[in-house]
PDB file of all heavy atoms in Angstrom:
ATOM      1  N   ARG A   1      15.356  -2.302 -10.894  1.00 98.00           N
ATOM      2  CA  ARG A   1      16.410  -2.766  -9.970  1.00 98.00           C
ATOM      3  C   ARG A   1      16.812  -1.702  -9.006  1.00 98.00           C
ATOM      4  O   ARG A   1      17.064  -1.974  -7.819  1.00 98.00           O
ATOM      5  CB  ARG A   1      17.639  -3.242 -10.804  1.00 98.00           C
ATOM      6  CG  ARG A   1      17.356  -4.565 -11.530  1.00 98.00           C
ATOM      7  CD  ARG A   1      18.685  -5.112 -12.174  1.00 98.00           C
ATOM      8  NE  ARG A   1      19.098  -4.333 -13.323  1.00 98.00           N
ATOM      9  CZ  ARG A   1      18.661  -4.591 -14.576  1.00 98.00           C
ATOM     10  NH1 ARG A   1      17.805  -5.527 -14.797  1.00 98.00           N
ATOM     11  NH2 ARG A   1      19.137  -3.821 -15.585  1.00 98.00           N
ATOM     12  N   ARG A   2      16.962  -0.448  -9.465  1.00 98.00           N
ATOM     13  CA  ARG A   2      17.294   0.656  -8.567  1.00 98.00           C
ATOM     14  C   ARG A   2      16.142   0.861  -7.578  1.00 98.00           C
ATOM     15  O   ARG A   2      16.428   1.145  -6.360  1.00 98.00           O
ATOM     16  CB  ARG A   2      17.464   1.926  -9.400  1.00 98.00           C
ATOM     17  CG  ARG A   2      18.674   1.855 -10.396  1.00 98.00           C
ATOM     18  CD  ARG A   2      19.930   2.398  -9.805  1.00 98.00           C
ATOM     19  NE  ARG A   2      20.931   2.460 -10.862  1.00 98.00           N
ATOM     20  CZ  ARG A   2      21.235   3.562 -11.531  1.00 98.00           C
ATOM     21  NH1 ARG A   2      20.556   4.644 -11.402  1.00 98.00           N
ATOM     22  NH2 ARG A   2      22.188   3.512 -12.463  1.00 98.00           N
ATOM     23  N   TYR A   3      14.966   0.785  -8.021  1.00 98.00           N
ATOM     24  CA  TYR A   3      13.831   0.964  -7.149  1.00 98.00           C
ATOM     25  C   TYR A   3      13.831  -0.062  -6.009  1.00 98.00           C
ATOM     26  O   TYR A   3      13.703   0.270  -4.804  1.00 98.00           O
ATOM     27  CB  TYR A   3      12.488   0.837  -7.867  1.00 98.00           C
ATOM     28  CG  TYR A   3      11.291   1.276  -7.006  1.00 98.00           C
ATOM     29  CD1 TYR A   3      10.737   2.514  -7.112  1.00 98.00           C
ATOM     30  CD2 TYR A   3      10.741   0.331  -6.103  1.00 98.00           C
ATOM     31  CE1 TYR A   3       9.656   2.917  -6.280  1.00 98.00           C
ATOM     32  CE2 TYR A   3       9.633   0.720  -5.328  1.00 98.00           C
ATOM     33  CZ  TYR A   3       9.122   2.005  -5.430  1.00 98.00           C
ATOM     34  OH  TYR A   3       8.057   2.331  -4.573  1.00 98.00           O
ATOM     35  N   ASP A   4      14.097  -1.296  -6.350  1.00 98.00           N
ATOM     36  CA  ASP A   4      14.181  -2.331  -5.335  1.00 98.00           C
ATOM     37  C   ASP A   4      15.269  -2.107  -4.334  1.00 98.00           C
ATOM     38  O   ASP A   4      15.140  -2.272  -3.142  1.00 98.00           O
ATOM     39  CB  ASP A   4      14.400  -3.705  -6.039  1.00 98.00           C
ATOM     40  CG  ASP A   4      14.379  -4.841  -5.084  1.00 98.00           C
ATOM     41  OD1 ASP A   4      13.279  -5.142  -4.489  1.00 98.00           O
ATOM     42  OD2 ASP A   4      15.415  -5.518  -4.916  1.00 98.00           O
ATOM     43  N   ARG A   5      16.393  -1.571  -4.827  1.00 97.00           N
ATOM     44  CA  ARG A   5      17.557  -1.259  -4.024  1.00 97.00           C
ATOM     45  C   ARG A   5      17.231  -0.213  -2.986  1.00 97.00           C
ATOM     46  O   ARG A   5      17.607  -0.325  -1.760  1.00 97.00           O
ATOM     47  CB  ARG A   5      18.703  -0.819  -4.858  1.00 97.00           C
ATOM     48  CG  ARG A   5      19.832  -0.007  -4.201  1.00 97.00           C
ATOM     49  CD  ARG A   5      20.735  -0.939  -3.376  1.00 97.00           C
ATOM     50  NE  ARG A   5      21.796  -0.188  -2.758  1.00 97.00           N
ATOM     51  CZ  ARG A   5      21.763   0.500  -1.641  1.00 97.00           C
ATOM     52  NH1 ARG A   5      20.640   0.484  -0.935  1.00 97.00           N
ATOM     53  NH2 ARG A   5      22.773   1.115  -1.143  1.00 97.00           N
ATOM     54  N   TRP A   6      16.474   0.890  -3.342  1.00 97.00           N
ATOM     55  CA  TRP A   6      16.357   2.007  -2.447  1.00 97.00           C
ATOM     56  C   TRP A   6      15.008   2.016  -1.696  1.00 97.00           C
ATOM     57  O   TRP A   6      14.894   2.663  -0.680  1.00 97.00           O
ATOM     58  CB  TRP A   6      16.497   3.296  -3.281  1.00 97.00           C
ATOM     59  CG  TRP A   6      17.925   3.565  -3.603  1.00 97.00           C
ATOM     60  CD1 TRP A   6      18.480   3.369  -4.847  1.00 97.00           C
ATOM     61  CD2 TRP A   6      18.963   3.947  -2.748  1.00 97.00           C
ATOM     62  NE1 TRP A   6      19.833   3.676  -4.810  1.00 97.00           N
ATOM     63  CE2 TRP A   6      20.192   4.029  -3.527  1.00 97.00           C
ATOM     64  CE3 TRP A   6      19.034   4.285  -1.394  1.00 97.00           C
ATOM     65  CZ2 TRP A   6      21.359   4.408  -2.970  1.00 97.00           C
ATOM     66  CZ3 TRP A   6      20.252   4.682  -0.827  1.00 97.00           C
ATOM     67  CH2 TRP A   6      21.421   4.710  -1.645  1.00 97.00           C
ATOM     68  N   PHE A   7      13.994   1.334  -2.186  1.00 96.00           N
ATOM     69  CA  PHE A   7      12.692   1.417  -1.590  1.00 96.00           C
ATOM     70  C   PHE A   7      12.234   0.099  -0.907  1.00 96.00           C
ATOM     71  O   PHE A   7      11.322   0.052  -0.092  1.00 96.00           O
ATOM     72  CB  PHE A   7      11.623   1.805  -2.615  1.00 96.00           C
ATOM     73  CG  PHE A   7      11.803   3.193  -3.104  1.00 96.00           C
ATOM     74  CD1 PHE A   7      12.556   3.479  -4.283  1.00 96.00           C
ATOM     75  CD2 PHE A   7      11.284   4.261  -2.458  1.00 96.00           C
ATOM     76  CE1 PHE A   7      12.731   4.728  -4.747  1.00 96.00           C
ATOM     77  CE2 PHE A   7      11.460   5.582  -2.931  1.00 96.00           C
ATOM     78  CZ  PHE A   7      12.193   5.798  -4.057  1.00 96.00           C
ATOM     79  N   MET A   8      12.843  -1.036  -1.307  1.00 96.00           N
ATOM     80  CA  MET A   8      12.426  -2.284  -0.716  1.00 96.00           C
ATOM     81  C   MET A   8      13.432  -2.992   0.138  1.00 96.00           C
ATOM     82  O   MET A   8      13.088  -3.870   0.911  1.00 96.00           O
ATOM     83  CB  MET A   8      12.049  -3.235  -1.873  1.00 96.00           C
ATOM     84  CG  MET A   8      10.939  -2.732  -2.801  1.00 96.00           C
ATOM     85  SD  MET A   8       9.372  -2.423  -1.877  1.00 96.00           S
ATOM     86  CE  MET A   8       8.960  -4.087  -1.434  1.00 96.00           C
ATOM     87  N   LYS A   9      14.691  -2.564   0.091  1.00 96.00           N
ATOM     88  CA  LYS A   9      15.776  -3.156   0.849  1.00 96.00           C
ATOM     89  C   LYS A   9      16.306  -2.169   1.875  1.00 96.00           C
ATOM     90  O   LYS A   9      16.036  -0.951   1.793  1.00 96.00           O
ATOM     91  CB  LYS A   9      16.887  -3.674  -0.045  1.00 96.00           C
ATOM     92  CG  LYS A   9      16.453  -4.763  -0.991  1.00 96.00           C
ATOM     93  CD  LYS A   9      17.603  -5.253  -1.858  1.00 96.00           C
ATOM     94  CE  LYS A   9      17.150  -6.385  -2.776  1.00 96.00           C
ATOM     95  NZ  LYS A   9      18.227  -6.835  -3.691  1.00 96.00           N
ATOM     96  N   ALA A  10      17.020  -2.684   2.829  1.00 93.00           N
ATOM     97  CA  ALA A  10      17.686  -1.846   3.848  1.00 93.00           C
ATOM     98  C   ALA A  10      18.721  -0.927   3.256  1.00 93.00           C
ATOM     99  O   ALA A  10      19.456  -1.279   2.363  1.00 93.00           O
ATOM    100  CB  ALA A  10      18.364  -2.713   4.915  1.00 93.00           C
ATOM    101  N   VAL A  11      18.638   0.378   3.644  1.00 92.00           N
ATOM    102  CA  VAL A  11      19.554   1.365   3.082  1.00 92.00           C
ATOM    103  C   VAL A  11      20.352   2.030   4.187  1.00 92.00           C
ATOM    104  O   VAL A  11      19.917   2.091   5.332  1.00 92.00           O
ATOM    105  CB  VAL A  11      18.780   2.420   2.270  1.00 92.00           C
ATOM    106  CG1 VAL A  11      18.082   1.777   1.120  1.00 92.00           C
ATOM    107  CG2 VAL A  11      17.763   3.198   3.167  1.00 92.00           C
ATOM    108  N   PRO A  12      21.522   2.630   3.872  1.00 89.00           N
ATOM    109  CA  PRO A  12      22.305   3.347   4.881  1.00 89.00           C
ATOM    110  C   PRO A  12      21.568   4.581   5.319  1.00 89.00           C
ATOM    111  O   PRO A  12      20.647   5.050   4.610  1.00 89.00           O
ATOM    112  CB  PRO A  12      23.590   3.715   4.069  1.00 89.00           C
ATOM    113  CG  PRO A  12      23.584   2.818   2.848  1.00 89.00           C
ATOM    114  CD  PRO A  12      22.162   2.555   2.565  1.00 89.00           C
ATOM    115  N   PRO A  13      21.949   5.199   6.435  1.00 83.00           N
ATOM    116  CA  PRO A  13      23.061   4.779   7.306  1.00 83.00           C
ATOM    117  C   PRO A  13      22.649   3.819   8.390  1.00 83.00           C
ATOM    118  O   PRO A  13      23.529   3.267   9.046  1.00 83.00           O
ATOM    119  CB  PRO A  13      23.537   6.103   7.887  1.00 83.00           C
ATOM    120  CG  PRO A  13      22.263   6.919   8.030  1.00 83.00           C
ATOM    121  CD  PRO A  13      21.423   6.535   6.776  1.00 83.00           C
ATOM    122  N   ASN A  14      21.342   3.601   8.610  1.00 80.00           N
ATOM    123  CA  ASN A  14      20.895   2.789   9.698  1.00 80.00           C
ATOM    124  C   ASN A  14      20.305   1.457   9.298  1.00 80.00           C
ATOM    125  O   ASN A  14      19.653   0.778  10.090  1.00 80.00           O
ATOM    126  CB  ASN A  14      19.796   3.562  10.491  1.00 80.00           C
ATOM    127  CG  ASN A  14      20.413   4.826  11.118  1.00 80.00           C
ATOM    128  OD1 ASN A  14      21.519   4.898  11.573  1.00 80.00           O
ATOM    129  ND2 ASN A  14      19.587   5.920  11.030  1.00 80.00           N
ATOM    130  N   ASN A  15      20.545   1.025   8.032  1.00 88.00           N
ATOM    131  CA  ASN A  15      20.031  -0.221   7.494  1.00 88.00           C
ATOM    132  C   ASN A  15      18.540  -0.392   7.671  1.00 88.00           C
ATOM    133  O   ASN A  15      18.042  -1.402   8.127  1.00 88.00           O
ATOM    134  CB  ASN A  15      20.793  -1.404   8.137  1.00 88.00           C
ATOM    135  CG  ASN A  15      22.247  -1.472   7.690  1.00 88.00           C
ATOM    136  OD1 ASN A  15      22.551  -1.182   6.536  1.00 88.00           O
ATOM    137  ND2 ASN A  15      23.137  -1.745   8.606  1.00 88.00           N
ATOM    138  N   LEU A  16      17.788   0.686   7.351  1.00 83.00           N
ATOM    139  CA  LEU A  16      16.385   0.718   7.434  1.00 83.00           C
ATOM    140  C   LEU A  16      15.764   0.405   6.084  1.00 83.00           C
ATOM    141  O   LEU A  16      16.255   0.872   5.056  1.00 83.00           O
ATOM    142  CB  LEU A  16      15.884   2.066   7.948  1.00 83.00           C
ATOM    143  CG  LEU A  16      16.436   2.517   9.269  1.00 83.00           C
ATOM    144  CD1 LEU A  16      16.065   3.983   9.498  1.00 83.00           C
ATOM    145  CD2 LEU A  16      15.820   1.688  10.412  1.00 83.00           C
ATOM    146  N   SER A  17      14.611  -0.302   6.085  1.00 88.00           N
ATOM    147  CA  SER A  17      13.914  -0.584   4.855  1.00 88.00           C
ATOM    148  C   SER A  17      12.532   0.124   4.888  1.00 88.00           C
ATOM    149  O   SER A  17      11.803  -0.058   5.837  1.00 88.00           O
ATOM    150  CB  SER A  17      13.706  -2.145   4.684  1.00 88.00           C
ATOM    151  OG  SER A  17      12.861  -2.370   3.622  1.00 88.00           O
ATOM    152  N   LEU A  18      12.260   0.877   3.839  1.00 90.00           N
ATOM    153  CA  LEU A  18      10.962   1.517   3.771  1.00 90.00           C
ATOM    154  C   LEU A  18       9.867   0.590   3.358  1.00 90.00           C
ATOM    155  O   LEU A  18       8.685   0.780   3.721  1.00 90.00           O
ATOM    156  CB  LEU A  18      10.980   2.718   2.798  1.00 90.00           C
ATOM    157  CG  LEU A  18      11.983   3.817   3.087  1.00 90.00           C
ATOM    158  CD1 LEU A  18      11.856   4.945   2.077  1.00 90.00           C
ATOM    159  CD2 LEU A  18      11.754   4.380   4.475  1.00 90.00           C
ATOM    160  N   ALA A  19      10.208  -0.440   2.602  1.00 88.00           N
ATOM    161  CA  ALA A  19       9.261  -1.428   2.147  1.00 88.00           C
ATOM    162  C   ALA A  19       8.035  -0.769   1.508  1.00 88.00           C
ATOM    163  O   ALA A  19       6.898  -1.089   1.861  1.00 88.00           O
ATOM    164  CB  ALA A  19       8.872  -2.362   3.290  1.00 88.00           C
ATOM    165  N   VAL A  20       8.306   0.118   0.534  1.00 91.00           N
ATOM    166  CA  VAL A  20       7.241   0.794  -0.203  1.00 91.00           C
ATOM    167  C   VAL A  20       7.187   0.256  -1.631  1.00 91.00           C
ATOM    168  O   VAL A  20       8.037   0.628  -2.431  1.00 91.00           O
ATOM    169  CB  VAL A  20       7.439   2.315  -0.190  1.00 91.00           C
ATOM    170  CG1 VAL A  20       6.358   3.027  -1.037  1.00 91.00           C
ATOM    171  CG2 VAL A  20       7.457   2.855   1.255  1.00 91.00           C
ATOM    172  N   PRO A  21       6.232  -0.612  -1.944  1.00 92.00           N
ATOM    173  CA  PRO A  21       6.121  -1.102  -3.309  1.00 92.00           C
ATOM    174  C   PRO A  21       5.888  -0.020  -4.337  1.00 92.00           C
ATOM    175  O   PRO A  21       5.367   1.056  -4.047  1.00 92.00           O
ATOM    176  CB  PRO A  21       4.896  -2.089  -3.226  1.00 92.00           C
ATOM    177  CG  PRO A  21       4.698  -2.358  -1.775  1.00 92.00           C
ATOM    178  CD  PRO A  21       5.184  -1.103  -1.072  1.00 92.00           C
ATOM    179  N   MET A  22       6.228  -0.320  -5.600  1.00 95.00           N
ATOM    180  CA  MET A  22       6.009   0.632  -6.655  1.00 95.00           C
ATOM    181  C   MET A  22       4.529   0.875  -6.881  1.00 95.00           C
ATOM    182  O   MET A  22       3.709  -0.074  -6.911  1.00 95.00           O
ATOM    183  CB  MET A  22       6.629   0.110  -7.932  1.00 95.00           C
ATOM    184  CG  MET A  22       6.725   1.140  -9.045  1.00 95.00           C
ATOM    185  SD  MET A  22       7.605   0.496 -10.539  1.00 95.00           S
ATOM    186  CE  MET A  22       9.259   0.320  -9.900  1.00 95.00           C
ATOM    187  N   SER A  23       4.126   2.129  -7.010  1.00 93.00           N
ATOM    188  CA  SER A  23       2.749   2.525  -7.193  1.00 93.00           C
ATOM    189  C   SER A  23       2.278   2.127  -8.599  1.00 93.00           C
ATOM    190  O   SER A  23       3.067   1.956  -9.493  1.00 93.00           O
ATOM    191  CB  SER A  23       2.540   4.019  -6.974  1.00 93.00           C
ATOM    192  OG  SER A  23       3.199   4.703  -7.992  1.00 93.00           O
ATOM    193  N   GLN A  24       0.944   2.025  -8.734  1.00 93.00           N
ATOM    194  CA  GLN A  24       0.401   1.738 -10.053  1.00 93.00           C
ATOM    195  C   GLN A  24       0.683   2.848 -11.078  1.00 93.00           C
ATOM    196  O   GLN A  24       0.939   2.612 -12.244  1.00 93.00           O
ATOM    197  CB  GLN A  24      -1.111   1.546  -9.929  1.00 93.00           C
ATOM    198  CG  GLN A  24      -1.543   0.277  -9.192  1.00 93.00           C
ATOM    199  CD  GLN A  24      -0.973  -0.956  -9.768  1.00 93.00           C
ATOM    200  OE1 GLN A  24      -1.012  -1.200 -11.006  1.00 93.00           O
ATOM    201  NE2 GLN A  24      -0.446  -1.813  -8.898  1.00 93.00           N
ATOM    202  N   GLU A  25       0.756   4.060 -10.576  1.00 94.00           N
ATOM    203  CA  GLU A  25       1.049   5.231 -11.457  1.00 94.00           C
ATOM    204  C   GLU A  25       2.475   5.118 -11.973  1.00 94.00           C
ATOM    205  O   GLU A  25       2.705   5.345 -13.175  1.00 94.00           O
ATOM    206  CB  GLU A  25       0.928   6.557 -10.702  1.00 94.00           C
ATOM    207  CG  GLU A  25      -0.553   6.935 -10.340  1.00 94.00           C
ATOM    208  CD  GLU A  25      -0.974   6.347  -8.988  1.00 94.00           C
ATOM    209  OE1 GLU A  25      -0.204   5.560  -8.392  1.00 94.00           O
ATOM    210  OE2 GLU A  25      -2.088   6.746  -8.555  1.00 94.00           O
ATOM    211  N   LEU A  26       3.415   4.717 -11.095  1.00 97.00           N
ATOM    212  CA  LEU A  26       4.792   4.570 -11.572  1.00 97.00           C
ATOM    213  C   LEU A  26       4.938   3.419 -12.535  1.00 97.00           C
ATOM    214  O   LEU A  26       5.735   3.521 -13.477  1.00 97.00           O
ATOM    215  CB  LEU A  26       5.715   4.479 -10.345  1.00 97.00           C
ATOM    216  CG  LEU A  26       7.247   4.405 -10.708  1.00 97.00           C
ATOM    217  CD1 LEU A  26       7.635   5.536 -11.570  1.00 97.00           C
ATOM    218  CD2 LEU A  26       8.039   4.367  -9.405  1.00 97.00           C
ATOM    219  N   LYS A  27       4.286   2.301 -12.191  1.00 97.00           N
ATOM    220  CA  LYS A  27       4.377   1.143 -13.084  1.00 97.00           C
ATOM    221  C   LYS A  27       3.895   1.523 -14.456  1.00 97.00           C
ATOM    222  O   LYS A  27       4.508   1.088 -15.452  1.00 97.00           O
ATOM    223  CB  LYS A  27       3.522   0.000 -12.520  1.00 97.00           C
ATOM    224  CG  LYS A  27       4.091  -0.670 -11.299  1.00 97.00           C
ATOM    225  CD  LYS A  27       3.200  -1.846 -10.801  1.00 97.00           C
ATOM    226  CE  LYS A  27       3.756  -2.491  -9.597  1.00 97.00           C
ATOM    227  NZ  LYS A  27       2.847  -3.612  -9.120  1.00 97.00           N
ATOM    228  N   ALA A  28       2.814   2.287 -14.548  1.00 97.00           N
ATOM    229  CA  ALA A  28       2.318   2.679 -15.847  1.00 97.00           C
ATOM    230  C   ALA A  28       3.316   3.618 -16.560  1.00 97.00           C
ATOM    231  O   ALA A  28       3.490   3.531 -17.806  1.00 97.00           O
ATOM    232  CB  ALA A  28       1.004   3.413 -15.673  1.00 97.00           C
ATOM    233  N   ASN A  29       3.998   4.468 -15.804  1.00 98.00           N
ATOM    234  CA  ASN A  29       4.922   5.370 -16.457  1.00 98.00           C
ATOM    235  C   ASN A  29       6.229   4.737 -16.895  1.00 98.00           C
ATOM    236  O   ASN A  29       6.975   5.339 -17.652  1.00 98.00           O
ATOM    237  CB  ASN A  29       5.218   6.609 -15.539  1.00 98.00           C
ATOM    238  CG  ASN A  29       5.455   7.894 -16.332  1.00 98.00           C
ATOM    239  OD1 ASN A  29       4.765   8.135 -17.292  1.00 98.00           O
ATOM    240  ND2 ASN A  29       6.475   8.612 -15.990  1.00 98.00           N
ATOM    241  N   LEU A  30       6.488   3.533 -16.435  1.00 98.00           N
ATOM    242  CA  LEU A  30       7.690   2.836 -16.963  1.00 98.00           C
ATOM    243  C   LEU A  30       7.479   2.534 -18.460  1.00 98.00           C
ATOM    244  O   LEU A  30       8.464   2.351 -19.202  1.00 98.00           O
ATOM    245  CB  LEU A  30       7.877   1.487 -16.229  1.00 98.00           C
ATOM    246  CG  LEU A  30       8.251   1.596 -14.736  1.00 98.00           C
ATOM    247  CD1 LEU A  30       8.570   0.212 -14.179  1.00 98.00           C
ATOM    248  CD2 LEU A  30       9.395   2.554 -14.488  1.00 98.00           C
ATOM    249  N   LYS A  31       6.226   2.503 -18.906  1.00 97.00           N
ATOM    250  CA  LYS A  31       5.938   2.321 -20.328  1.00 97.00           C
ATOM    251  C   LYS A  31       5.506   3.620 -20.990  1.00 97.00           C
ATOM    252  O   LYS A  31       5.805   3.805 -22.217  1.00 97.00           O
ATOM    253  CB  LYS A  31       4.828   1.297 -20.477  1.00 97.00           C
ATOM    254  CG  LYS A  31       5.165  -0.085 -19.920  1.00 97.00           C
ATOM    255  CD  LYS A  31       4.001  -1.080 -20.027  1.00 97.00           C
ATOM    256  CE  LYS A  31       4.402  -2.449 -19.482  1.00 97.00           C
ATOM    257  NZ  LYS A  31       3.228  -3.393 -19.631  1.00 97.00           N
ATOM    258  N   GLU A  32       4.817   4.455 -20.279  1.00 97.00           N
ATOM    259  CA  GLU A  32       4.269   5.701 -20.947  1.00 97.00           C
ATOM    260  C   GLU A  32       5.309   6.787 -21.017  1.00 97.00           C
ATOM    261  O   GLU A  32       5.227   7.674 -21.898  1.00 97.00           O
ATOM    262  CB  GLU A  32       3.045   6.218 -20.097  1.00 97.00           C
ATOM    263  CG  GLU A  32       1.876   5.235 -20.120  1.00 97.00           C
ATOM    264  CD  GLU A  32       0.813   5.626 -19.150  1.00 97.00           C
ATOM    265  OE1 GLU A  32       0.995   6.654 -18.438  1.00 97.00           O
ATOM    266  OE2 GLU A  32      -0.220   4.902 -19.023  1.00 97.00           O
TER     267      GLU A  32
END
């Protein structure tokens, strides 16, 4: 949920969205 908030949605101060999906390495480390 935090990842979606900061990497996929618009963030301050200019309401810009990076739109960077979670990498396969990070997805794996959510379990490892």
Side-chain angles (χ1 to χ4, degrees):
R1 289 189 286 273
R2 297 267 185 94
Y3 188 97
D4 185 66
R5 161 74 177 86
W6 288 104
F7 295 92
M8 300 302 292
K9 296 181 179 178
V11 298
N14 299 321
N15 292 320
L16 301 169
S17 174
L18 298 183
V20 177
M22 192 177 292
S23 67
Q24 291 303 314
E25 292 89 351
L26 183 52
K27 287 180 180 179
N29 213 42
L30 296 186
K31 298 179 181 179
E32 295 171 2

